[in-house]
């Protein structure tokens, strides 16, 4: 069974630009969560999608948005990039909403660098 | 209340020794406590997880100890091996409608040969 895949793996953008990151969950998984990982703030929850609906949202500005398609694939968009958005963006999938009965599996992440 | 405090920040252990990482939380609504292991260049991988109705869970060399009254839980790695060298994250999930995972700040473990 293929794992969670994220594309692209590396991305360099400049301030003010926007970026779209893609995540393909494990086959059969319907929930996709996004996390931002930085050395200073650690792993922070961005949002979770289940059956094309955003179920949960972390404390990030509106510049961060996402969506999920009918095949459970998800995209995350960051508009008007700031230097502080440089991070590893991780996607995780689970069969149902992440929790005790639905283990989350993480992808390798997309390393975003904002210059 | 949504924080999970993890310590130590880094840990050096000799091969064969016991590695212990601790986490504390405040939110009594947390109902799921997983530990993740992350190697450089990889995403976190679930190592072991526990629910608050259990005080201890063991899987191979990895054990979670859970103290509900103290709101603390810890990861013990027995017979630590150089291959265990990685960053470990504890996490907690709120049992209310939010379902999101709150992660600790991570512990960088180095096991010396």
């Amino acid at each position: 069974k293929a794992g969670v895949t994220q594309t692209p793996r590396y991305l360099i953008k400049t301030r003010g630009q926007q970026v779209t990151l893609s995540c393909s969950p494990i086959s059969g998984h319907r929930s996709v969560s996004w996390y931002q990982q930085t050395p200073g703030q650690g792993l922070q929850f961005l949002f979770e999608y289940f059956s094309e609906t955003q179920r949960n949202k972390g404390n990030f500005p509106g510049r961060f948005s996402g969506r999920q398609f009918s095949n459970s694939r998800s995209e995350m968009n960051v508009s008007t990039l700031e230097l502080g958005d440089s991070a590893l963006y991780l996607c995780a999938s689970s069969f149902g909403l992440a929790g005790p009965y639905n283990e989350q599996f993480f992808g390798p992440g997309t390393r975003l660098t904002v210059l | 209340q949504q924080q999970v405090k993890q310590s130590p920040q880094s840990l050096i252990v000799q091969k064969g020794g016991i590695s212990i990482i601790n986490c504390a939380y405040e939110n009594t609504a947390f109902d799921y406590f997983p530990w993740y292991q992350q190697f450089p260049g990889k995403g976190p991988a679930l190592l072991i997880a526990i629910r608050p109705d259990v005080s201890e869970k063991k899987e191979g060399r990895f054990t979670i100890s859970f103290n509900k009254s103290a709101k603390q839980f810890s990861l013990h790695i027995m017979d630590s091996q150089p291959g265990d060298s990685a960053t470990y994250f504890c996490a907690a999930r709120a049992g209310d409608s939010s379902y999101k995972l709150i992660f600790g700040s991570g512990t960088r473990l180095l096991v010396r040969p």
Side-chain angles (χ1 to χ4, degrees):
Chain A
K1 206 176 199 180
V4 177
T5 57
Q6 293 186 245
T7 56
R9 291 293 312 278
Y10 302 92
L11 206 49
I12 298 175
K13 292 284 187 179
T14 55
R15 277 183 298 174
Q17 288 187 309
Q18 75 164 19
V19 67
T20 299
L21 311 181
S22 180
C23 172
S24 293
I26 291 172
S27 177
H29 284 191
R30 296 160 61 195
S31 172
V32 172
S33 297
W34 288 90
Y35 294 85
Q36 182 195 64
Q37 186 173 26
T38 60
Q41 299 297 318
L43 271 157
Q44 291 189 288
F45 173 80
L46 279 155
F47 27 65
E48 179 175 21
Y49 285 87
F50 181 80
S51 294
E52 302 178 65
T53 302
Q54 187 182 90
R55 299 300 177 123
N56 299 294
K57 191 176 190 304
N59 298 321
F60 279 81
R63 300 185 297 107
F64 292 82
S65 63
R67 59 177 175 169
Q68 186 179 36
F69 302 96
S70 58
N71 62 357
S72 295
R73 191 178 68 85
S74 177
E75 287 183 346
M76 191 192 93
N77 185 275
V78 188
S79 62
T80 319
L81 284 166
E82 300 177 359
L83 294 178
D85 297 334
S86 294
L88 180 68
Y89 289 89
L90 291 159
C91 165
S93 78
S94 57
F95 180 74
L97 289 170
Y101 305 104
N102 287 291
E103 177 186 342
Q104 277 192 318
F105 294 85
F106 281 82
T110 293
R111 173 73 63 185
L112 172 65
T113 302
V114 182
L115 303 176
Chain B
Q1 260 223 332
Q2 288 292 321
Q3 281 189 323
V4 177
K5 294 182 180 180
Q6 183 172 348
S7 63
Q9 189 174 8
S10 63
L11 184 61
I12 300 176
V13 173
Q14 288 296 126
K15 179 182 175 182
I18 302 173
S19 304
I20 302 174
I21 305 171
N22 301 299
C23 285
Y25 64 97
E26 289 294 326
N27 189 347
T28 55
F30 287 150
D31 69 347
Y32 172 62
F33 301 87
W35 285 89
Y36 287 85
Q37 179 189 56
Q38 186 176 28
F39 293 104
K42 304 283 187 181
L46 180 66
L47 196 59
I48 187 172
I50 198 168
R51 286 179 289 165
D53 54 350
V54 176
S55 61
E56 186 175 281
K57 182 175 181 181
K58 183 175 180 179
E59 288 185 2
R61 296 185 293 109
F62 301 91
T63 300
I64 299 179
S65 297
F66 188 84
N67 186 329
K68 189 174 181 178
S69 60
K71 289 184 277 188
Q72 295 174 346
F73 58 110
S74 59
L75 176 70
H76 295 234
I77 305 175
M78 312 299 286
D79 187 27
S80 298
Q81 299 297 312
D84 296 331
S85 297
T87 300
Y88 293 82
F89 294 91
C90 63
R93 189 203 77 151
D96 54 19
S97 60
S98 67
Y99 291 108
K100 63 183 180 185
L101 279 176
I102 309 295
F103 283 85
S105 54
T107 296
R108 187 171 292 183
L109 171 66
L110 174 64
V111 181
R112 293 197 190 279

